[in-house]
Amino acid sequence: SRVRIAMVQGQADPERDGVADYARHLTAALRDLGEEVVPVPVLGPREAAERLHALKPDLAHVQFAPSAFGFSARPGLLPNRVRGLRFVTTLHEYGWWASPRWVPGAVWRPLERARLWDRETWRFVPRSSAVLTTNAGHSRVLHERFGRTAVQVPLAPNVPDLGPADRVEARRRLGVPADAQVVAFFGFVHPVKGLRYLIEALARLRGAGRDRLHLLILGGFTSLALP
């Protein structure tokens, strides 16, 4: 039988937010598999709870990132407002934030060990039947705080597979020499993405004789997280 999934996410523009774009692609993929998926944009818990009560979904899948929720932890109260609904949370960002920031870590730790409260997601992680992460670092923080093992899903580019392309024509259009060794960076051009280290590494390699190396940057500059 078909499963009704509420895709709980921030009110973000997919063109300027990677998490929103990921949720859009995931929604389309699940629908292709025959599931019923309904996006539930949320900044506050009350309106989202009313929407979930009306939808009566089998599952609520939370796409969590602080920027997607306007750097507010209030959406993390949603599980308390919708009793009996099964939650699953994907952590797109984790391990660096707390709300409120002034509360010391010593206060959070016993609450997290008891699986009552999370300093970042509030009630999303404690109430979730499963937690997904995109990397080992987030999985490690989750295990240290809650003793939980995450389902790790490698982060993939949010682009469709368009099949084979004419490499010669693509390089000509982009101004890349035909014999170049191309390194591609995919994502927003932000200080936190580590792009500076990639540029420095390529410069050192070119200086060591790898003069055929070229860097191709694929991504925008303005996003909701760092406008």
Side-chain angles (χ1 to χ4, degrees):
S1 62
R2 194 162 63 161
V3 177
R4 174 176 287 186
I5 303 169
M7 193 68 67
V8 179
Q9 59 196 74
Q11 295 179 335
D13 178 4
E15 300 303 322
R16 297 194 298 134
D17 183 78
V19 173
D21 190 43
Y22 173 85
R24 177 173 62 176
H25 283 280
L26 179 59
T27 296
L30 289 170
R31 286 173 176 169
D32 287 344
L33 292 173
E35 309 298 353
E36 182 182 358
V37 185
V38 183
V40 179
V42 53
L43 281 178
R46 184 175 64 82
E47 298 82 358
E50 292 174 354
R51 176 77 169 138
L52 290 174
H53 280 302
L55 285 173
K56 293 181 171 58
D58 301 297
L59 173 73
H61 189 169
V62 180
Q63 306 296 329
F64 179 83
S67 58
F69 291 112
F71 291 96
S72 170
R74 288 183 60 248
L77 295 174
L78 184 58
N80 284 11
R81 290 179 172 266
V82 188
R83 302 287 183 176
L85 177 60
R86 185 181 182 189
F87 279 81
V88 169
T89 298
T90 294
L91 299 172
H92 294 272
E93 298 176 31
Y94 200 59
W96 66 275
W97 190 59
S99 181
R101 291 179 179 270
W102 50 264
V103 175
V107 174
W108 296 117
R109 282 191 285 273
L111 296 173
E112 291 166 343
R113 282 196 297 268
R115 299 191 180 186
L116 295 175
W117 205 267
D118 178 23
R119 70 188 74 185
E120 297 185 60
T121 72
W122 282 13
R123 288 289 289 161
F124 279 141
V125 164
R127 271 272 277 110
S128 288
S129 302
V131 180
L132 285 69
T133 63
T134 63
N135 60 79
H138 293 171
S139 298
R140 184 172 58 254
V141 174
L142 180 73
H143 190 269
E144 289 172 352
R145 290 180 182 175
F146 295 92
R148 299 189 62 169
T149 301
V151 178
Q152 193 167 314
V153 180
L155 187 63
N158 297 347
V159 292
D161 184 355
L162 300 178
D166 186 330
R167 181 174 296 188
V168 174
E169 170 58 23
R171 288 183 176 227
R172 185 199 63 76
R173 181 164 47 85
L174 294 170
V176 177
D179 64 343
Q181 292 178 320
V182 179
V183 175
F185 169 89
F186 179 88
F188 285 107
V189 182
H190 287 168
V192 298
K193 298 296 184 181
L195 181 58
R196 59 167 289 192
Y197 303 112
L198 178 60
I199 293 173
E200 290 171 357
L202 261 69
R204 292 180 65 180
L205 287 169
R206 285 176 64 96
R210 301 285 295 275
D211 56 358
R212 292 172 57 214
L213 279 173
H214 285 251
L215 174 61
L216 187 62
I217 299 175
L218 310 169
F221 286 83
T222 302
S223 75
L224 296 179
L226 288 173

